[in-house]
Amino acid sequence: MHDKSISTSERLFASECVSAGRRLDGRSLTDPRHVSVTLGPSWGFAEVAFDNTLVIASTSVDATAPSSERPNEGVLTVVADLSPTSSEAAARESLARSGHTPVVTEIRNCIDKFVREARAIDTEALCILAGVKVWAVRVEVDIINDDGNCVDACVMAVMSSLMHARRPDVTVTGKEVRVHSLDEREPVPLPVHHVPLSVSFALFGAGKPYEPDMVVMDPVKKEEIASGGSLSFAFNAQGEVCGVYKAGGLPLQPESFVQCSELGEKRALKLTAILNKALADSSAKHPRASLRPMLVTPEPVAQVRSRHTRKKDEVMSEAAPLSMWNATPIEDTLPPPPSATDRDPVKVHAVEGVDSAIASLLQGRKEVDEIVQVEEHVEMEMEPEREDGPKPTEIIEISDSSSSDDDLESAIISKGKGSGGRR
Amino acid sequence: MPKVENGAAPVGLQFGKEMGTLALPGEEIGKLVDTTPPHGLQSPQDQKRAVVRLGSGVTQRGSSLLSSKAGKVCFDGRRNKTWVENNQKRYVPALEDMVIGVVEERHSEDVRLDINGTDTATLSSLAFEGATKKNRPHLDIGSLIYCRITRASKNMEAEASCIEPGSNKSWVGGEALYGELKGGNVIQVSLGLARSLLVPNGPVLTTLGAKIPFQSAVGVNGRVWIQSSSTEHTVLLSIAIAKADTMPADEWKAFVKKMLEQAT
């Protein structure tokens, strides 16, 4: 990342500070900045600020035709954009030509890896009628001000937005799909599987071979520019690694990698707590109890035996909230759904709308099981000496041939696989 | 007649607004008065003084002077200069501004500086006191340059120079006011704070200087360069100066006191 507006002196000073164990803004090397999350007033609007870094995200849901390759899967699209006023580099770039800055490309890659490829949203649960209509979820992220660590802010904004967003309720009756307007039914939350949150580090080489690198958590813009590379981890509330992204040319020492993952896990849990608080606060503004948003439920890894039941309970405890969607009823004549629940629209209560959501959530469980297995496998390899890890019986259940290999490098490789090869 | 604050009364210019009052964009702040011999000033000395200098935020339309932004009307009697001052973040080059630039491009005869504005400024390699074709400073990309703006036009690229009028200190000796700034740290502050830091014996730099010895260069383009004997001190100074942008004066003093106590 080359930023012309930064002088050599500033760059050297940033590195000098890190070598001296200090930061440009007075923090210690592993201190994060203050994070604030604001949700609402409309569904799916999130504003995430890491001090001066400000990112907004909004989610919109539309019913569209599915792709022919995946007729029973909804679509999740995340669009990231860098406002020309966010930083000097961005302004320059937008004046010079209409291309994208390297920052945006990196952020897009990260969001894709951490949110879409980690299957934060169960796209199969977004199916309305297989082959005919599915939900298309579109998240738009805008970087309003870039003062470093946009990746974390963007991933958090996307996940906050998805957690807060609602889609209109639908009733499938035989050949008919009815999309209920907000007056009719309260909209339902999106099928969020898990909430991966990213924690990024700027890496500064020690200058000597075989010595651990200096890692800086939550870097500001200048530190990002001065650093030799960056490393981002995505962890969910269960402490599972959902993705790793390494950028920059600096060769990373294994010790530093482990150090980052340990710091990252702790940080991700704190971010989850911040997000949960924001979700709870946003619900407090709504007069009705049924408007409470889903919260991220942290759960020890050992207990993740059957995510089906957990997911069901979680969704059951949340009644469908009041609609703010301007959804228009679709009353097209459609072919009968293969797996839709037949119900009489007159007798349906608001709570029953959730049932259909659960029914659709329970579809295509095979893939979910695979995800859980991969994630647990990764977790075990990451921390082979962990005493209070999963029970032995469960290890047998989910481990495969390579789990005996405790070598750190293979752990890194399988982590990459775990995050990227889930589809 | 406005209250005269800085030296002499305005010549060749009649203010329609009191000094220090708010002017809105498009508002007339004053009129140019004809001072050619049949109308007024006779002596050549007075004639010389009657040149009206327009600073940032003031435009001329016919004989009237209009403000082009919202801000405080200012006048400097020594230079017979008027301008409109406000606090903003975007820098627009103006003549005789002292700025800190970063070398962005190198050419055979000049370098291009990023001066925190919409456009860059050119700095000739010979625009250093005593520089010749054979003996001139080597400026790398990323070097920090303290310089002054010698040409500012809304239609052309600004021009900068490191020659200080009235001084003959060579660029080699390291005593010249303008030139390359080596080491240290740079922070970005609002243009209002940068201007207030340039006021002699201003509260911010004086308070800090009493506690920690340091060198600084302030560019009115919002860049402040700080250098002290240790990294830790430079970090503290950088944070303290940046905080002065948003904190009220008394709160800032308390903050600095607390910060220095914790640091030592």
Side-chain angles (χ1 to χ4, degrees):
Chain A
M1 238 189 299
H2 180 67
D3 194 330
K4 283 178 175 174
S5 60
I6 271 238
S7 63
T8 317
S9 306
E10 285 165 87
R11 211 182 289 239
L12 290 175
F13 186 73
S15 324
E16 217 175 274
C17 278
V18 173
S19 316
R22 290 204 65 112
R23 303 279 289 273
L24 291 174
D25 49 7
R27 284 181 279 162
S28 75
L29 294 187
T30 53
D31 257 1
R33 285 176 286 184
H34 174 74
V35 174
S36 76
V37 182
T38 319
L39 296 165
S42 52
W43 292 121
F45 184 85
E47 189 183 298
V48 173
F50 282 45
D51 272 353
N52 286 332
T53 297
L54 181 64
V55 171
I56 57 168
S58 62
T59 299
S60 56
V61 188
D62 274 314
T64 55
S67 68
S68 50
E69 302 97 60
R70 296 165 191 273
N72 57 346
E73 274 190 31
V75 191
L76 172 67
T77 325
V78 184
V79 188
D81 214 351
L82 187 71
S83 158
T85 54
S86 64
S87 69
E88 275 176 55
R92 217 179 294 263
E93 202 76 22
S94 77
L95 282 173
R97 59 191 138 87
S98 56
H100 296 299
T101 57
V103 184
V104 170
T105 319
E106 199 182 308
I107 289 163
R108 284 185 184 156
N109 289 345
C110 274
I111 295 175
D112 207 52
K113 217 174 170 66
F114 296 165
V115 179
R116 238 166 49 81
E117 285 182 23
R119 298 213 149 230
I121 287 264
D122 182 5
T123 44
E124 293 199 8
L126 291 172
C127 178
I128 306 168
L129 251 184
V132 183
K133 278 273 183 263
V134 292
W135 291 117
V137 179
R138 185 184 162 91
V139 190
E140 286 184 27
V141 206
D142 273 298
I143 301 161
I144 303 298
N145 195 37
D146 177 9
D147 188 24
N149 205 2
C150 278
V151 170
D152 291 9
C154 283
V155 171
M156 195 162 179
V158 170
M159 288 320 299
S160 314
S161 177
L162 287 172
M163 288 295 285
H164 192 253
R166 297 288 184 274
R167 63 164 175 83
D169 200 3
V170 285
T171 318
V172 183
T173 323
K175 295 173 181 178
E176 249 187 31
V177 171
R178 195 181 157 80
V179 179
H180 298 281
S181 70
L182 62 126
D183 304 322
E184 252 181 303
R185 292 262 193 93
E186 291 171 340
V188 291
L190 298 178
V192 178
H193 251 331
H194 62 148
V195 180
L197 291 176
S198 149
V199 182
S200 297
F201 300 87
L203 310 169
F204 289 82
K208 291 172 201 160
Y210 310 114
E211 274 197 24
D213 307 295
M214 284 167 291
V215 295
V216 166
M217 189 190 258
D218 192 7
V220 295
K221 187 87 187 154
K222 278 187 189 176
E223 286 164 340
E224 268 184 0
I225 294 167
S227 71
S230 74
L231 180 65
S232 303
F233 276 97
F235 286 91
N236 61 14
Q238 287 75 38
E240 296 161 333
V241 181
C242 305
V244 187
Y245 188 92
K246 158 90 171 60
L250 189 82
L252 186 61
Q253 297 296 327
E255 301 98 298
S256 311
F257 190 86
V258 174
Q259 189 199 352
C260 286
S261 74
E262 281 165 357
L263 288 166
E265 187 183 348
K266 280 180 202 145
R267 177 67 186 151
L269 292 177
K270 276 184 189 151
L271 288 176
T272 308
I274 292 167
L275 174 55
N276 259 346
K277 194 176 172 293
L279 287 164
D281 285 352
S282 79
S283 76
K285 288 173 194 158
H286 293 293
R288 291 167 67 175
S290 62
L291 294 172
R292 271 178 206 142
M294 295 189 294
L295 294 183
V296 190
T297 46
E299 189 175 296
V301 180
Q303 285 176 24
V304 187
R305 204 175 309 151
S306 162
R307 196 165 285 191
H308 313 184
T309 43
R310 184 185 70 81
K311 202 72 196 176
K312 190 175 175 181
D313 292 343
E314 191 183 74
V315 180
M316 279 297 277
S317 66
E318 312 294 342
L322 183 73
S323 172
M324 286 179 77
W325 295 99
N326 298 319
T328 44
I330 307 168
E331 292 196 353
D332 300 336
T333 313
L334 300 162
S339 60
T341 353
D342 269 349
R343 276 181 302 161
D344 182 3
V346 186
K347 290 179 184 172
V348 171
H349 293 284
V351 188
E352 281 183 38
V354 181
D355 285 341
S356 68
I358 298 158
S360 51
L361 267 173
L362 293 172
Q363 291 169 11
R365 276 299 157 197
K366 269 185 188 173
E367 195 149 5
V368 183
D369 279 345
E370 279 166 23
I371 292 166
V372 176
Q373 286 192 10
V374 172
E375 281 165 356
E376 292 194 0
H377 170 64
V378 166
E379 181 65 24
M380 283 188 309
E381 286 214 339
M382 241 343 266
E383 290 169 33
E385 303 133 5
R386 192 159 157 168
E387 294 294 319
D388 55 343
K391 289 170 194 169
T393 49
E394 281 165 348
I395 293 169
I396 294 158
E397 196 185 13
I398 56 176
S399 62
D400 62 24
S401 56
S402 68
S403 68
S404 57
D405 190 2
D406 282 350
D407 187 55
L408 188 72
E409 274 185 28
S410 83
I412 294 165
I413 292 157
S414 65
K415 260 174 127 171
K417 278 183 188 165
S419 60
R422 259 175 221 159
R423 319 181 94 228
Chain B
M1 197 66 192
K3 203 176 95 196
V4 177
E5 280 177 354
N6 302 316
V11 185
L13 162 76
Q14 196 171 18
F15 276 104
K17 290 187 78 75
E18 278 288 322
M19 212 57 49
T21 53
L22 178 82
L24 294 172
E27 205 176 339
E28 192 183 66
I29 58 166
K31 273 191 180 304
L32 293 172
V33 187
D34 195 356
T35 51
T36 44
H39 301 280
L41 305 167
Q42 298 297 330
S43 74
Q45 209 179 355
D46 281 354
Q47 277 295 327
K48 205 178 168 188
R49 269 199 58 218
V51 176
V52 178
R53 290 178 176 87
L54 304 184
S56 64
V58 183
T59 52
Q60 180 190 354
R61 185 173 291 171
S63 65
S64 57
L65 300 178
L66 307 175
S67 72
S68 59
K69 62 184 182 187
K72 200 169 76 172
V73 181
C74 301
F75 177 74
D76 183 351
R78 286 165 301 181
R79 306 184 56 224
N80 206 29
K81 182 181 177 179
T82 180
W83 70 97
V84 175
E85 192 175 283
N86 66 343
N87 195 4
Q88 60 182 47
K89 287 186 172 175
R90 179 166 169 266
Y91 173 67
V92 182
L95 209 60
E96 295 302 324
D97 272 355
M98 298 154 93
V99 296
I100 295 177
V102 181
V103 177
E104 222 178 47
E105 286 171 30
R106 283 181 65 195
H107 303 288
S108 56
E109 294 295 313
D110 53 31
V111 291
R112 193 152 278 172
L113 296 180
D114 165 51
I115 50 166
N116 200 25
T118 42
D119 205 359
T120 49
T122 45
L123 169 70
S124 166
S125 309
L126 299 173
F128 291 81
E129 191 66 54
T132 60
K133 279 238 170 196
K134 284 183 180 168
N135 179 26
R136 55 186 176 178
H138 177 82
L139 304 172
D140 262 329
I141 289 178
S143 305
L144 280 170
I145 314 282
Y146 194 39
C147 53
R148 65 189 185 94
I149 302 290
T150 50
R151 187 182 68 197
S153 148
K154 65 178 174 183
N155 301 316
M156 285 168 74
E157 194 178 23
E159 202 176 82
S161 164
C162 284
I163 295 173
E164 188 189 353
S167 158
N168 57 359
K169 282 172 186 160
S170 166
W171 70 273
V172 187
E175 285 181 347
L177 172 65
Y178 300 113
E180 188 178 354
L181 303 169
K182 287 178 180 158
N185 185 30
V186 175
I187 54 165
Q188 183 73 49
V189 297
S190 73
L191 304 190
L193 177 68
R195 267 196 309 270
S196 76
L197 291 176
L198 279 170
V199 174
N201 300 318
V204 174
L205 296 183
T206 323
T207 313
L208 293 170
K211 301 275 165 42
I212 304 167
F214 66 98
Q215 283 191 69
S216 71
V218 181
V220 286
N221 57 344
R223 290 205 178 113
V224 182
W225 174 82
I226 306 133
Q227 190 179 41
S228 75
S229 52
S230 76
T231 312
E232 190 146 331
H233 282 168
T234 311
V235 168
L236 288 178
L237 292 163
S238 305
I239 296 170
I241 294 171
K243 283 272 182 201
D245 221 344
T246 48
M247 277 186 177
D250 45 345
E251 206 177 296
W252 181 80
K253 280 203 169 151
F255 167 81
V256 168
K257 203 179 160 195
K258 202 176 155 192
M259 193 175 78
L260 291 173
E261 272 169 11
Q262 280 176 356
T264 50

